[in-house]
Amino acid sequence: MFGGSLAWVKNMKVHADTRPFWIDSTPLPRYPKLERDESVDVLVIGAGITGLTAAYLLTLAGRRVAVIERERCAQIDTGHTSAHLTMVTDVKMTELVKNFGREHAQAAWDAGLAAIFQIDSIVRDEQIACDFAWVPGYLHSPIGPPSRSRPHDESSMFRREAAAAADLGFDAEFIDDVPFVGGPGVMYADQARVHPRKYLAGVAHAIVDRGGTIFEHTSAAEFSDEPRSVEANGRTIRCSDIVLATHTPLVGNAGLLGATLFQTKLALYTSYVVAGRVKHGRVPDALFWDTADPYHYLRLEPGRGEDVVIFGGQDHKTGQAGDTNSCFERLERTLEMMVRGVGITHRWSGQVVETPDGLPYIGDTADHQFAGTGYSGNGMTFGTLAGMMAADRVLGRRNPWSDLFEPSRTKILGALWDYIRENKDYPYYLVRDRFAGAEGRSLRAVRRGSGKVLHLNGEKLAVYRDPSGTVTRVSATCTHMGCIVDWNEAERTWDCPCHGSRFKPTGQVVSGPAESPLEKK
């Protein structure tokens, strides 16, 4: 298990193979092969981030679920990720707004942010030790000197990106000097990172603990629609719904013609990753990605005494690179230039699936058959989202993003779609103003003459900005019995929803049962 001094890699042969750091550092429990017929409510095919998220949420809702995996859980696509968790899509926000309109652009990033919240919630609820943390993300200039194809001054582009995101309620800020890499860029507050294998080991345990079943080394062979069933390992699993969570979706019950047409809309790319040891504190705990084409991406996996820095890029269409070793070598040289003395220990590649418009395909591919693909560089985020959307679909719940990511879409929804109004009662939107982007984690979210509960430096604070712009920060925890207060816009007070205590904007008691003011921060 990773988390100590990384002594387990001191004597390993560098580049002995291309096993990812995640797989080397964290073994997963083994699950049996399917050796008997089964009957369940939902069959999930694929035990990566999409499949295990869907199975977890469905077992949580009381459905009988079976998961089948051709090899081992979290070993193929999810096992080869770099595990960035970000709402920021490969397609820039300004391009999303231009191509799809403001509300659809906001919806795409909201969906990603909702997925990160879902992971955070599962980690907390199941008490999974998986190195999850909220960290900033930085979009920055390409590493190295300016080239002829790259503007010498990209500040104006970064300013536009920051303004477009902030305008839609996300906590984005232009900065002149990006930490660690230097130069101008955009800081996106509250992105995240996670150890994917540790996380999914905990999710798989929770699925089985709630009565779900997981079968490894079990490959789906034949699909039938009457009755709905799948043959695997010579056995039959009957089900009411099927979730295809296989990165590139199987045909299933969609029919060969429909599946072939669907496949033509997907482009598969190989992306390369290297990882190495660095002294603790040498590299900031944040996400980094640049504007090169193809772009580079970097993140940290923290340890005690030593950290692991994970650096990727060199993407190309799968099967269209003559010398794949050179892709690794270029990454290694770049990383060694950025972090002097880094000890490279791992190199691996993964596959990303692109769509023509840059947004994933998530939805029905046949009657009672749900699939997700086309996650581009946001596999952990959109994979989680696809699991959430699959659960909503099976459970008959409306989902805010079902039309936006519809697999058969030819044209995005009309401009008259009132996205926020139509979805304000969806669970994500009931908490977005407290926990999401500029609405919940930045002082800029607080208007003059108003107050808001924010998450700042790991604390819930009741923040008030008076008409002159002066900010007062007090604890959001009521001094009576510890409930979280809320802002009363009409009365301009902090009100406790549990027992009715009320406080002035600056924290003094207006009425009990609380007797002490909110603590100054």
Side-chain angles (χ1 to χ4, degrees):
M1 296 287 286
F2 170 68
S5 65
L6 296 183
W8 56 273
V9 296
K10 291 289 187 183
N11 299 314
M12 72 175 290
K13 182 180 179 182
V14 175
H15 303 160
D17 56 27
T18 53
R19 281 171 60 85
F21 163 74
W22 315 117
I23 294 175
D24 258 356
S25 62
T26 306
L28 260 65
R30 293 186 176 273
Y31 296 96
K33 294 173 61 175
L34 178 67
E35 295 181 337
R36 63 182 186 273
D37 292 345
E38 293 279 346
S39 180
V40 294
D41 298 321
V42 185
L43 173 62
V44 177
I45 302 174
I49 187 71
T50 298
L52 292 180
T53 301
Y56 171 83
L57 295 173
L58 288 165
T59 55
L60 196 64
R63 295 297 192 271
R64 295 176 303 143
V65 180
V67 181
I68 63 174
E69 168 56 48
R70 183 179 58 190
E71 296 190 21
R72 297 287 320 282
C73 290
Q75 179 137 326
I76 307 302
D77 297 302
T78 301
H80 288 69
T81 181
S82 60
H84 287 235
L85 291 175
T86 177
M87 80 224 171
V88 182
T89 51
D90 283 2
V91 180
K92 294 184 176 66
M93 174 55 81
T94 52
E95 294 179 32
L96 286 177
V97 171
K98 178 182 177 182
N99 296 338
F100 304 131
R102 285 171 45 82
E103 291 199 334
H104 300 101
Q106 180 185 334
W109 280 28
D110 271 342
L113 205 49
I116 302 174
F117 293 160
Q118 180 67 78
I119 292 173
D120 188 6
S121 176
I122 293 173
V123 168
R124 292 174 183 274
D125 292 346
E126 302 299 334
Q127 299 182 2
I128 303 173
C130 59
D131 309 324
F132 176 88
W134 292 92
V135 298
Y138 296 96
L139 174 66
H140 58 89
S141 299
I143 298 163
S147 64
R148 291 183 179 181
S149 60
R150 167 187 159 196
H152 285 269
D153 181 11
E154 295 181 307
S155 296
S156 58
M157 181 274 290
F158 290 126
R159 289 182 188 276
R160 289 193 299 271
E161 288 301 316
D167 185 50
L168 293 175
F170 300 101
D171 200 343
E173 178 184 357
F174 170 80
I175 54 178
D176 291 306
D177 191 29
V178 175
F180 182 60
V181 294
V186 183
M187 182 188 74
Y188 301 97
D190 297 304
Q191 308 308 290
R193 47 102 171 139
V194 70
H195 190 302
R197 293 265 289 185
K198 291 180 181 179
Y199 170 65
L200 289 181
V203 173
H205 176 80
I207 291 168
V208 174
D209 195 48
R210 289 188 170 85
T213 53
I214 299 174
F215 299 102
E216 295 182 325
H217 302 293
T218 301
S219 182
E222 293 186 18
F223 289 74
S224 177
D225 206 25
E226 293 182 2
R228 189 166 295 107
S229 61
V230 173
E231 183 181 309
N233 290 0
R235 299 295 182 176
T236 300
I237 304 179
R238 291 194 175 192
C239 57
S240 299
D241 292 276
I242 296 172
V243 177
L244 299 177
T246 55
H247 194 56
T248 302
L250 302 175
V251 174
N253 289 317
L256 184 59
L257 177 60
T260 301
L261 290 173
F262 183 55
Q263 186 66 44
T264 63
K265 297 190 290 185
L266 304 176
L268 278 66
Y269 286 77
T270 298
S271 188
Y272 297 82
V273 186
V274 297
R277 304 185 308 273
V278 296
K279 290 184 179 180
H280 184 65
R282 282 285 306 280
V283 178
D285 191 5
L287 309 183
F288 298 88
W289 61 99
D290 67 16
T291 55
D293 185 16
Y295 68 89
H296 299 94
Y297 46 92
L298 181 145
R299 59 152 291 194
L300 199 71
E301 179 64 20
R304 296 176 182 173
E306 287 183 304
D307 299 329
V308 173
V309 60
I310 296 163
F311 182 61
Q314 295 295 316
D315 300 17
H316 62 77
K317 277 198 170 182
T318 298
Q320 296 188 18
D323 183 3
T324 54
N325 277 323
S326 66
C327 297
F328 286 120
E329 290 164 2
R330 284 191 291 271
L331 281 180
E332 290 175 9
R333 286 195 299 270
T334 304
L335 180 58
E336 287 164 352
M337 177 190 72
M338 298 170 67
V339 188
R340 299 293 183 187
V342 62
I344 304 294
T345 59
H346 291 78
R347 49 157 61 176
W348 70 91
S349 66
Q351 206 169 49
V352 296
V353 183
E354 304 277 358
T355 64
D357 59 16
L359 297 181
Y361 295 132
I362 305 172
D364 293 339
T365 56
D367 190 30
H368 290 274
Q369 179 175 289
F370 194 94
T373 190
Y375 304 154
S376 299
N378 294 67
M380 292 293 291
T381 310
F382 281 138
T384 299
L385 176 71
M388 297 162 59
M389 293 177 65
D392 279 351
R393 180 63 170 161
V394 170
L395 298 171
R397 298 189 299 224
R398 181 178 54 81
N399 184 280
W401 308 292
S402 56
D403 291 327
L404 182 63
F405 300 129
E406 166 59 46
S408 62
R409 67 177 182 264
T410 55
K411 185 178 180 181
I412 296 293
L413 295 175
L416 297 180
W417 180 41
D418 192 334
Y419 163 59
I420 297 299
R421 186 184 67 187
E422 292 296 326
N423 297 296
K424 63 183 180 181
D425 58 342
Y426 189 76
Y428 166 75
Y429 291 100
L430 296 178
V431 299
R432 186 187 194 275
D433 64 342
R434 287 194 178 186
F435 302 107
E439 290 294 320
R441 295 177 181 265
S442 169
L443 292 176
R444 296 191 305 278
V446 185
R447 302 187 311 274
R448 294 191 178 209
S450 187
K452 188 178 288 289
V453 174
L454 303 180
H455 263 203
L456 296 174
N457 300 321
E459 290 186 275
K460 287 185 178 180
L461 301 184
V463 180
Y464 170 70
R465 189 185 300 274
D466 71 18
S468 70
T470 301
V471 172
T472 301
R473 285 177 280 195
V474 296
S475 171
T477 303
C478 179
T479 55
H480 176 228
M481 294 188 68
C483 295
I484 302 299
V485 299
D486 200 7
W487 176 251
N488 181 331
E489 186 68 38
E491 302 294 335
R492 297 167 62 82
T493 55
W494 296 110
D495 296 354
C496 178
C498 295
H499 306 102
S501 298
R502 300 178 68 194
F503 304 85
K504 293 181 179 180
T506 49
Q508 295 91 342
V509 176
V510 174
S511 61
E515 297 180 3
S516 302
L518 298 175
E519 181 184 356
K520 294 276 188 182
K521 294 289 181 179

